[in-house]
Amino acid sequence: MKVVVLGASGFIGTGIVRALAARQIQLRLVARRATAVPSDAVAEVEVRAADLREGVADHVTDADAVVHLVAYTDGGWRVADGDTTAERVNVGLLDDVVNALRSRPTPPVVLFSGTETQVGLADRVRIDGTEEDKPLSAYTRQKLAAENLLKDATRDGIIRGVSLRLPTIYGEEGDRGVVAFMARKAFANEPLTMWHDGTVRRDLVFADDVTTAFVAALDHADALAGRHYVLGSGVGVPLRKVFELVAAEVAAVTGQPPLPVISVPPPGHMEPTDLKSVEVDASAFRSVTGWTTQVSLEEGIRRTVAAVAGG
């Protein structure tokens, strides 16, 4: 089996690479930046450096499965309306992947990373993936457009596509995620800031649990194909509590009192979903794969803070 990971060096890709490298498969890692190969890799690993805005067919035409993790944002999961580069990467790239796979004798698996914010302002806090999608930003509209391409191509028998809509992710790799961001603020002796009173809830999932979700989706692709699935722990945690846990963990490292968590005026680029509480019912995905989150919030924050401290 040949698996191609697009965006292999990113926040999510790094963990997926580690997990897939432990399997007896052919593994092709494609990213703009250098991708580290685990020293204990069992897989036959090929690394390619490429700007995937052009020539993606060269990397996926012979694939049995593609894990598509590439996304274009301004660094904060946002893009400006009319940003043609964002449209090209977030929608056009998936279209290119589908077209490149048309000639495969058996429809390849394509796993796509979506976002739970594609739903927009749902009528309820707890979402399960059955809600009507009403994306409110350019980025989420692009994600939904790409996901619809995936579903159409699955219906047409070109691929076996599965979209995993991701919640708020945090973890030890790199510097991505709100937990790592707040940890860096605390280590810099800066207060941790919120755009609200702290009661807004988020369903946070540690990056390791996202990795196991993608691996489970690969293993159960036939049963999952043609749909999107929301991922989450099922628990919405007030952001004030999250940030207070971060402050306490940083204080345990520095030996200083925990930094305060304060409310500040929101920036001009704030979106309505930033103030909407969310928790995710992942039972549809769990019923097929058995997947559940394994890393508690307390453990995940402790590990993320330790990584920031050591980085």
Side-chain angles (χ1 to χ4, degrees):
M1 184 180 188
K2 178 172 287 184
V3 181
V4 178
V5 182
L6 303 179
S9 65
F11 182 38
I12 302 171
T14 304
I16 293 174
V17 166
R18 277 199 306 270
L20 294 180
R23 297 187 166 198
Q24 291 184 330
I25 60 174
Q26 295 179 63
L27 185 59
R28 179 178 296 151
L29 312 178
V30 189
R32 285 191 303 168
R33 301 192 304 270
T35 303
V37 178
S39 59
D40 58 350
V42 174
E44 178 185 326
V45 183
E46 175 190 5
V47 178
R48 296 184 180 182
D51 183 339
L52 290 170
R53 284 176 291 184
E54 302 296 338
V56 72
D58 297 336
H59 307 293
V60 303
T61 302
D62 58 347
D64 300 301
V66 176
V67 183
H68 184 348
L69 306 172
V70 181
Y72 179 96
T73 71
D74 66 0
W77 301 117
R78 307 172 198 273
V79 298
D81 287 312
D83 186 330
T84 56
T85 300
E87 183 82 18
R88 172 74 190 95
V89 174
N90 294 336
V91 184
L93 182 56
L94 193 281
D95 193 36
D96 290 350
V97 169
V98 169
N99 287 326
L101 296 174
R102 288 181 181 274
S103 61
R104 297 291 288 162
T106 301
V109 174
V110 178
L111 305 184
F112 178 72
S113 59
T115 169
E116 52 87 6
T117 53
Q118 288 169 226
V119 72
L121 294 175
D123 294 335
R124 56 195 180 194
V125 170
R126 190 172 181 85
I127 62 173
D128 62 10
T130 63
E131 301 78 16
E132 180 182 0
D133 292 317
K134 297 179 180 179
L136 297 176
S137 67
Y139 179 70
T140 53
R141 286 192 293 270
Q142 290 164 7
K143 279 291 188 180
L144 182 60
E147 184 179 274
N148 287 335
L149 287 173
L150 186 86
K151 292 177 179 177
D152 290 345
T154 302
R155 182 199 61 215
D156 294 342
I158 301 168
I159 61 172
R160 290 169 286 159
V162 181
S163 177
L164 301 184
R165 295 190 179 182
L166 307 181
T168 302
I169 304 171
Y170 69 108
E172 300 160 294
E173 301 290 346
D175 60 354
R176 299 301 296 270
V178 65
V179 172
F181 177 74
M182 289 298 168
R184 290 195 302 275
K185 285 177 69 74
F187 278 120
N189 204 36
E190 299 175 7
L192 282 62
T193 55
M194 309 173 297
W195 301 343
H196 43 75
D197 63 0
T199 59
V200 174
R201 287 178 283 154
R202 286 288 179 270
D203 194 327
L204 280 77
V205 174
F206 195 66
D208 286 3
D209 286 325
V210 175
T211 291
T212 60
F214 273 91
V215 172
L218 185 62
D219 290 341
H220 296 83
D222 285 337
L224 297 169
R227 288 186 55 188
H228 69 263
Y229 299 85
V230 290
L231 299 183
S233 69
V235 178
V237 183
L239 284 175
R240 178 178 290 279
K241 177 181 177 180
V242 174
F243 296 167
E244 288 174 346
L245 286 170
V246 173
E249 285 296 331
V250 171
V253 174
T254 63
Q256 301 298 315
L259 272 298
V261 179
I262 63 174
S263 297
V264 297
H269 62 261
M270 187 186 74
E271 296 174 357
T273 51
D274 291 328
L275 299 181
K276 178 74 166 61
S277 291
V278 177
E279 62 183 32
V280 180
D281 178 357
S283 57
F285 186 70
R286 183 168 55 252
S287 67
V288 177
T289 65
W291 175 86
T292 61
T293 57
Q294 298 295 314
V295 181
S296 70
L297 180 63
E298 291 77 12
E299 178 189 349
I301 289 177
R302 184 163 53 252
R303 289 169 57 180
T304 303
V305 168
V308 172

